[in-house]
Amino acid sequence: MRWRFDMARPAAALLLAAALSLSLLTGCAGWNRPGIDDMAEDFFAALDARDQEALQSLFAPSVLSADPRLPESVESLLALCSGPTETWRTDAPPSVSTRRGGPAFRSVSNWYPVTAGGTNYYCLIRYTSIDEEHPENEGLQKVIFVTEKVRCSEEFNRTWKDLPLGLHVLTEAEGDYETCRIGGSAFRCTPTPQPPTLEDISAFLETETSQAAFLSRFGPPNAVSPYSDAFLYYALPDEDGEKRYAEIHFTGENNTAQTLLLLSENGYRALEVPWRAEE
């Protein structure tokens, strides 16, 4: 894995990074989730029941008629994910598309961090809950079910939005790298033999906030945000058997620390904000 600690970063990446950090800090309660979690619950219930017909019936009639390989894809999904599904819920915000004026339309999509049979997967669900102009489109439009290695693949992340409607089950990706889940997202990770403690990191940031000094003290991170190298992640000692991670956000011309967040493995929102720079 390559880490880039350059001084200049694209403005767009910094804006996105700031938005992600703000959502974690504020909690963003009350995300608009119009029906997608209900559809996801039906999907994972059918998956756990190994019910191929029930899985196919969740897809929109237009998708069923346009994708003759859907039954084969469902078989591939059942072969990959033997279950049971242990976790799939997320508090990450979905993408919602509606139409102003004219016939009612609402389409929602979201990535779900899935754990089944002790293995991490990621599942995109795109669901049209209402389409008055074309009711045959109501139902699942697209489902992408992938392994954690695929979710971390640069090629996949460049192309997944272009996949056609239907069900896609992807298991392999080029490259040799380890992965982990932090805050419900997939990361390429490099293990370290002795993780720092949250207290060690907080105490250090009280007196020194430069990224260079931080890296000198704690070494390379376990993971770097795929959106911006301003976010570094360090594995912490487990807490009551649950994995914990520290996210440190560096920004500005001098690459100084702004926030320290405590994250779980699956939760999108931060568990705690142990430290933040004085304003």
Side-chain angles (χ1 to χ4, degrees):
M1 181 176 179
R2 296 172 306 194
W3 296 293
R4 295 181 297 109
F5 303 122
D6 50 304
M7 297 295 289
R9 303 186 178 90
L14 285 178
L15 289 173
L16 175 58
L20 290 172
S21 180
L22 178 62
S23 66
L24 287 168
L25 288 169
T26 61
C28 292
W31 288 113
N32 183 20
R33 311 185 64 85
I36 190 169
D37 286 343
D38 292 335
M39 174 56 76
E41 187 166 19
D42 291 342
F43 178 85
F44 290 113
L47 179 59
D48 280 346
R50 323 293 296 164
D51 192 332
Q52 183 170 346
E53 291 186 3
L55 285 166
Q56 292 178 206
S57 70
L58 297 174
F59 285 84
S62 60
V63 176
L64 292 172
S65 61
D67 185 5
R69 297 188 61 186
L70 186 62
E72 180 182 335
S73 298
V74 171
E75 290 179 0
S76 297
L77 174 62
L78 293 173
L80 172 65
C81 186
S82 58
T85 302
E86 294 142 22
T87 61
W88 61 264
R89 296 186 182 277
T90 180
D91 52 2
S95 174
V96 182
S97 176
T98 60
R99 179 187 296 132
R100 290 187 178 181
F105 172 83
R106 181 182 294 112
S107 181
V108 192
S109 63
N110 211 8
W111 277 102
Y112 289 88
V114 182
T115 302
T119 301
N120 287 344
Y121 303 97
Y122 297 82
C123 181
L124 174 86
I125 291 180
R126 177 177 161 190
Y127 165 56
T128 297
S129 58
I130 184 169
D131 189 340
E132 289 185 346
E133 187 173 12
H134 299 286
E136 69 276 11
N137 291 334
E138 294 177 2
L140 287 179
Q141 289 284 310
K142 183 188 294 187
V143 174
I144 306 174
F145 199 96
V146 300
T147 61
E148 192 161 74
K149 183 175 182 180
V150 171
R151 189 69 181 99
C152 290
S153 163
E154 293 180 0
E155 174 67 18
F156 173 76
N157 285 310
R158 282 195 302 266
T159 60
W160 68 264
K161 291 184 180 180
D162 299 325
L163 291 172
L165 301 182
L167 172 62
H168 304 271
V169 181
L170 305 174
T171 62
E172 299 297 331
E174 292 184 357
D176 183 16
Y177 49 86
E178 295 190 41
T179 63
C180 62
R181 176 178 290 170
I182 305 173
S185 297
F187 288 82
R188 295 189 184 196
C189 283
T190 301
T192 52
Q194 185 64 40
T197 67
L198 187 65
E199 293 74 19
D200 287 342
I201 295 175
S202 297
F204 181 85
L205 292 174
E206 289 292 343
T207 59
E208 179 58 73
T209 60
S210 77
Q211 188 183 76
F214 190 91
L215 291 172
S216 177
R217 168 64 176 82
F218 294 102
N222 298 100
V224 178
S225 169
Y227 303 108
S228 169
D229 58 9
F231 292 87
L232 307 184
Y233 297 86
Y234 288 80
L236 303 172
D238 291 356
E239 185 176 311
D240 297 326
E242 299 288 335
K243 293 182 179 180
R244 295 289 184 262
Y245 295 89
E247 176 196 270
I248 304 93
H249 177 202
F250 294 90
T251 190
E253 294 184 359
N254 297 321
N255 279 346
T256 56
Q258 298 300 306
T259 57
L260 166 65
L261 303 183
L262 175 63
L263 301 177
S264 65
E265 185 176 22
N266 289 304
Y268 174 79
R269 301 173 186 170
L271 298 173
E272 183 184 343
V273 185
W275 177 90
R276 71 175 72 193
E278 295 183 2
E279 297 182 359

